[in-house]
Amino acid sequence: RPFNPALLQKFVSKSWPGVVRAKGFFWLATRPNYVGELSQAGALVRTGRRGMWWAAVPQQRWPDDPEWRASMAPYLDPVWGDRRQELVFIGTDPMDESAIRRELDACLVPAKGFTPDRWTSLPDPFPSWTAA
């Protein structure tokens, strides 16, 4: 499931005790075609557009490489394609991995009745990821 942008922005804006580094990519409900990127080092947290999900790219434009297709196979859901959350948090005591997981899970849109069209109009406080 994708993140609710307002809830994820609230999470990103708070401090994470014990977290030294966080990085990875995420899926926002309001931006179903774009991969979001999270990068945190020290007090600096940045988010932005990383690119497009392969599921949003016409298959005729995918690399024609059997090794690439084999490497992507585990990530291609029949409905959502490669859209997913893949965030890593690296830290020391007092980092609470369980609390971070719970907080991120609470940022996901509800599972029941999820469809992309239903969630694209949610409030989205993140800066634009498209050129002006």
Side-chain angles (χ1 to χ4, degrees), residues 11-28:
F11 172 82
V12 167
S13 298
K14 65 186 235 57
S15 66
W16 309 325
V19 174
V20 177
R21 177 94 168 93
K23 60 184 180 175
F25 53 90
F26 58 90
W27 172 21
L28 285 180

Side-chain angles (χ1 to χ4, degrees), residues 79-96:
V79 176
W80 308 114
D82 58 327
R83 295 175 182 93
R84 63 191 186 277
Q85 314 302 351
E86 195 162 309
L87 299 171
V88 175
F89 292 80
I90 302 163
T92 60
D93 191 38
M95 185 179 105
D96 186 343

Side-chain angles (χ1 to χ4, degrees), residues 2-51:
F3 286 125
N4 175 316
L7 297 177
L8 183 63
Q9 180 62 44
K10 186 176 177 182
F11 172 82
V12 167
S13 298
K14 65 186 235 57
S15 66
W16 309 325
V19 174
V20 177
R21 177 94 168 93
K23 60 184 180 175
F25 53 90
F26 58 90
W27 172 21
L28 285 180
T30 52
R31 304 172 191 206
N33 295 329
Y34 297 103
V35 179
E37 181 174 34
L38 171 79
S39 178
Q40 177 267 338
L44 180 64
V45 179
R46 290 180 294 163
T47 60
R49 183 180 95 176
R50 183 173 179 173

